[in-house]
Amino acid sequence: MAPTLFIFPLLLSLLSPLSLTHAQPAAPSPAADACNGIFLSYSYTGGAQLPPTRKSNPTRQPYRFESTITILNNGLDPLKSWKVWVGFTHEEYLVSASNAILADGTSLPAGVGNGTVFAGYPSTDLETAIETAGDLTQMSTRIDLVGTQFGVGLPSIPMPANISLANDGFVCPKPTMQGKSEMQVCCTKDPNFKTNITSDDGFLPLQNGDLTIMYDVIRTYDSNYWAQVTIANHNPLGCLDNWKLSWDWMRDEFIYTMKGAYPHVLDASDCIYGRQGQFYKELDFANVLNCQRRPTLVDLPLEKTNDTTLGMIPFCCRNGTILPPSMDPSKSTSVFQINVFKMPPDLNRSQLTPPQNWKINGTLNPDYQCGPPIRVSPSQFPDPGGLPSDRTAFASWQVVCNITQPKGASPRCCVSFSAYYNESVIPCKTCACGCPSTSTRTCSTTSPALLLPPQAILVPFENRTDLANAWADLKHFPKPNPLPCGDNCGVSINWHLYTDYSRGWTARITIFNWDETSFADWFTAVEMDKAAPGFQKVYSFNGSSLSGANNTIFMQGLPYFNYLVAETDGVNPEKDPRVPGKQQSVISFTKKNTPGINVVGGDGFPTKVFFNGEECSLPTALPTSNAYRKGSTISISVLLAILVFMLMQDSHGRRCGCLVL
């Protein structure tokens, strides 16, 4: 064993008594039974300084902390699926939490320094004193926390800024301190809150979200069960490409077989060398699909749809594509079935526990944050034999996922602007989709992107340097040293203001795929705060105003042209730049419904752009008209002639991969 492994236990044993002293009990607090609602308390119980010693930077000195959260239901109604917010403020890194999980699906250990929500596990509900004759084991729960915090050593105590009940329909006042180490609050029902009434069977009603996942147990045996997992998209701009779904098994379960999806990694080694192999001695683990505590599951390709072994599940096998319901309701759901083997002491057919800490993501899609599985009324399914009756699941849980923007996360697509009245293209922002930490050695991550000639946006960033330099020299634009870094985006979109005349105007949108992944059934959407009411037509895509969002125009590929190919090699790879996949169309607008619109002044440019549900980075500037050249005003007839010619070229471009500029 390495010598350093002995140092930390020895160091703890030699620490002074003062450094390990637990916080002194606070003065007696008001009795919890004075709260006629949900009583919460957070108590700091102890801590110690951890190595290394940071005398030169005490704010980064790590300390162990131990705390206890107590939740007590003193109300009249059971508290279903309790959730508690703790406002940590000392860069806490949580190592363990008893009787709870993190409600955002993050597995421990994890950073919680910006605050976090705890959810109950394995017990999720708190009963009332009336229904249990005051049995505190059913009315309350205790969460023991162990973790690391930074910068707060004794005699100071690292208390959170706030604690509150995170369930809907409750009001929590500001917590009160009992001494220096305990925080208390009593949360009561909000009389003004209106919600669905809990169903008669005692389960919570189904919840709404951008994406919902149902975990339905459809067959159950003593040692294993079959569950059907249904992923349903409800957001009009939400999308998943090549979805990957992961969760944590909490009771040593493992996946024996699946239909409609498959583990990303086939691995039974954890079972062979673990408890599972010792218990299931007669089981052939060569047939077991996955024994990871946190497996990652992926969809099957389309050709497996009718495979009698892996497929034959309705709504399965679509290469991981889940579309918005507004685009194609039949493709907004993905379904698979999974055979789960259990371990002692859960070997009876009624002992069913869903996995926890759910996470789902795609290739270039929004980020989703998933809550814990909530027990709901058993789902019903049409009889597979065609009988006019429904079959009911043995048990059902719902996971609700919502689109979120993680702190510090970068977009994965970007937008450039150009216009008929300016010869330069305003490119995507520098580091629009993030930059590697080593970028500062070769390029500037803070300098604004150089204006480009139109042809430069057709080639990868690494091939634009000469074009950008020559253009800057020709136009006398300043050039920083070092030059700006690239946008590093897999997808970029150019919005070109094409014409502007008395009764209407046109724009051209071009989508570039610089990634190695192709996009089937792609879509894009643009928010036009003032121009959307004048939307008329998209010529080379399917386009429409998004229902329920009057300022959003939704566009998708036409049948047989809805595939955005990946970047490919040029004709001569040794000297020609790589060629992006691309799609392009003209969009026409009328001014009849938008009196006073100033197209050139900014109203002709989108305020938000989405690709496959991901919001793209926009430039911070618009093309100016000070470069408008004399003689560029032409008659309406000439404009129409150019438009017709451009559309013909666009139609040809979609077939041959050409691009109209």
Side-chain angles (χ1 to χ4, degrees):
M1 184 179 292
T4 53
L5 297 180
F6 294 102
I7 296 175
F8 183 63
L10 180 62
L11 178 63
L12 284 179
S13 65
L14 295 176
L15 286 171
S16 66
L18 178 62
S19 65
L20 286 173
T21 300
H22 284 216
Q24 294 298 316
S29 61
D33 56 15
C35 171
N36 289 326
I38 309 299
F39 177 80
L40 307 177
S41 71
Y42 179 98
S43 299
Y44 174 80
T45 57
Q49 182 174 316
L50 300 175
T53 301
R54 306 291 297 273
K55 291 183 178 180
S56 61
N57 189 4
T59 60
R60 299 301 304 159
Q61 177 63 53
Y63 296 88
R64 173 187 174 95
F65 76 90
E66 299 175 17
S67 300
T68 299
I69 302 171
T70 302
I71 311 165
L72 173 65
N73 183 8
N74 277 344
L76 293 173
D77 300 312
L79 180 63
K80 299 287 185 180
S81 298
W82 63 261
K83 293 183 290 186
V84 170
W85 161 262
V86 179
F88 293 114
T89 59
H90 305 293
E91 300 183 63
E92 284 85 350
Y93 188 78
L94 190 61
V95 176
S96 66
S98 65
N99 301 318
I101 58 173
L102 300 187
D104 64 1
T106 303
S107 301
L108 295 179
V112 295
N114 293 318
T116 193
V117 175
F118 292 95
Y121 179 83
S123 177
T124 61
D125 304 337
L126 297 180
E127 305 299 335
T128 67
I130 296 173
E131 295 173 331
T132 64
D135 183 355
L136 289 176
T137 62
Q138 300 182 65
M139 296 167 54
S140 65
T141 190
R142 168 178 165 148
I143 309 170
D144 293 320
L145 307 180
V146 177
T148 302
Q149 52 88 11
F150 291 87
V152 184
L154 292 174
S156 299
I157 295 176
M159 295 296 290
N162 186 27
I163 58 169
S164 63
L165 192 66
N167 295 66
D168 293 334
F170 285 86
V171 177
C172 299
K174 183 178 179 180
T176 59
M177 293 296 298
Q178 302 298 315
K180 294 182 178 181
S181 61
E182 183 173 1
M183 178 182 289
Q184 298 179 351
V185 67
C186 178
C187 302
T188 55
K189 284 285 189 71
D190 182 355
N192 298 319
F193 181 80
K194 295 181 180 180
T195 186
N196 295 327
I197 300 174
T198 302
S199 56
D200 294 337
D201 53 13
F203 298 116
L204 288 173
L206 292 172
Q207 303 296 309
N208 297 321
D210 293 322
L211 187 90
T212 58
I213 306 174
M214 292 299 301
Y215 191 83
D216 297 302
V217 176
I218 56 176
R219 296 195 295 277
T220 180
Y221 312 95
D222 284 346
S223 63
N224 68 92
Y225 65 86
W226 277 89
Q228 179 163 296
V229 180
T230 303
I231 309 168
N233 181 20
H234 306 287
N235 188 293
L237 292 178
C239 178
L240 282 169
D241 298 299
N242 303 302
W243 59 257
K244 292 183 178 180
L245 177 66
S246 58
W247 59 52
D248 286 339
W249 295 119
M250 307 300 282
R251 303 185 68 80
D252 292 333
E253 301 97 328
F254 60 94
I255 301 172
Y256 185 76
T257 189
M258 295 180 67
K259 293 174 71 69
Y262 220 61
H264 188 253
V265 175
L266 301 181
D267 183 9
S269 58
D270 287 351
C271 286
I272 294 173
Y273 300 109
R275 291 181 58 230
Q276 299 92 336
Q278 297 174 7
F279 181 77
Y280 290 102
K281 294 181 179 180
E282 305 301 321
L283 186 66
D284 184 2
F285 280 92
N287 297 322
V288 171
L289 291 184
N290 187 279
C291 288
Q292 295 174 313
R293 184 178 185 272
R294 186 171 183 83
T296 297
L297 310 178
V298 297
D299 198 10
L300 292 175
L302 190 63
E303 54 265 27
K304 296 296 183 181
T305 301
N306 296 318
D307 188 295
T308 54
T309 302
L310 298 176
M312 303 298 290
I313 302 294
F315 304 107
C316 85
C317 314
R318 292 173 175 166
N319 284 316
T321 297
I322 301 178
L323 300 179
S326 56
M327 187 172 174
D328 189 342
S330 68
K331 295 182 179 180
S332 65
T333 299
S334 190
V335 179
F336 64 88
Q337 293 180 0
I338 183 169
N339 184 205
V340 180
F341 269 64
K342 302 183 292 184
M343 287 289 292
D346 299 337
L347 299 182
N348 71 71
R349 64 189 60 199
S350 63
Q351 186 64 42
L352 302 168
T353 304
Q356 302 288 325
N357 301 327
W358 293 61
K359 178 70 176 178
I360 189 167
N361 53 38
T363 303
L364 197 157
N365 304 120
D367 289 294
Y368 290 88
Q369 185 178 92
C370 299
I374 303 299
R375 187 76 180 267
V376 295
S377 299
S379 300
Q380 292 186 333
F381 306 96
D383 184 85
L387 297 176
S389 58
D390 292 331
R391 290 197 174 187
T392 303
F394 289 95
S396 297
W397 288 265
Q398 184 195 38
V399 176
V400 177
C401 306
N402 288 304
I403 294 174
T404 184
Q405 182 69 29
K407 186 177 181 181
S410 299
R412 282 164 284 194
C413 55
C414 64
V415 178
S416 61
F417 286 156
S418 56
Y420 68 88
Y421 51 80
N422 196 310
E423 294 178 319
S424 298
V425 175
I426 298 178
C428 292
K429 291 193 295 187
T430 302
C431 299
C433 297
C435 276
S437 58
T438 56
S439 297
T440 53
R441 302 175 186 174
T442 57
C443 59
S444 172
T445 60
T446 57
S447 297
L450 295 179
L451 298 178
L452 299 174
Q455 67 271 25
I457 64 173
L458 304 179
V459 296
F461 178 82
E462 55 267 23
N463 300 105
R464 296 178 187 174
T465 303
D466 291 342
L467 290 170
N469 279 327
W471 190 251
D473 292 339
L474 179 65
K475 298 296 181 181
H476 306 291
F477 295 149
K479 291 191 298 183
N481 186 15
L483 292 174
C485 299
D487 54 68
N488 295 310
C489 295
V491 171
S492 64
I493 297 175
N494 174 250
W495 181 271
H496 179 75
L497 188 56
Y498 194 67
T499 64
D500 181 22
Y501 48 95
S502 60
R503 289 186 289 184
W505 58 283
T506 59
R508 186 181 66 226
I509 184 171
T510 308
I511 306 168
F512 299 93
N513 182 9
W514 307 99
D515 213 338
E516 296 180 355
T517 303
S518 299
F519 295 97
D521 296 312
W522 61 267
F523 71 89
T524 188
V526 294
E527 284 191 12
M528 309 287 294
D529 286 347
K530 295 184 179 180
F535 166 69
Q536 286 183 312
K537 185 177 181 180
V538 181
Y539 289 87
S540 300
F541 303 156
N542 273 332
S544 61
S545 295
L546 188 64
S547 177
N550 293 330
N551 64 341
T552 302
I553 301 169
F554 185 91
M555 292 170 277
Q556 64 185 100
L558 294 169
Y560 309 109
F561 294 100
N562 59 346
Y563 198 78
L564 183 61
V565 300
E567 187 182 62
T568 58
D569 286 332
V571 176
N572 187 344
E574 294 184 0
K575 64 177 183 178
D576 293 336
R578 287 175 62 81
V579 179
K582 44 194 175 287
Q583 293 274 3
Q584 184 184 75
S585 183
V586 167
I587 311 171
S588 63
F589 297 83
T590 178
K591 293 183 178 179
K592 181 179 179 180
N593 301 325
T594 54
I597 187 171
N598 186 351
V599 176
V600 174
D603 295 341
F605 293 90
T607 53
K608 285 186 179 181
V609 176
F610 300 85
F611 179 80
N612 278 13
E614 173 80 5
E615 185 174 351
C616 304
S617 168
L618 293 180
T620 55
L622 300 175
T624 59
S625 57
N626 56 9
Y628 189 82
R629 292 169 293 167
K630 184 178 180 180
S632 61
T633 302
I634 55 180
S635 67
I636 296 298
S637 60
V638 175
L639 281 174
L640 291 176
I642 292 176
L643 179 59
V644 171
F645 174 79
M646 191 279 298
L647 290 175
M648 292 175 62
Q649 291 294 313
D650 180 73
S651 176
H652 172 69
R654 288 190 292 107
R655 295 194 299 270
C656 70
C658 303
L659 188 70
V660 179
L661 286 177

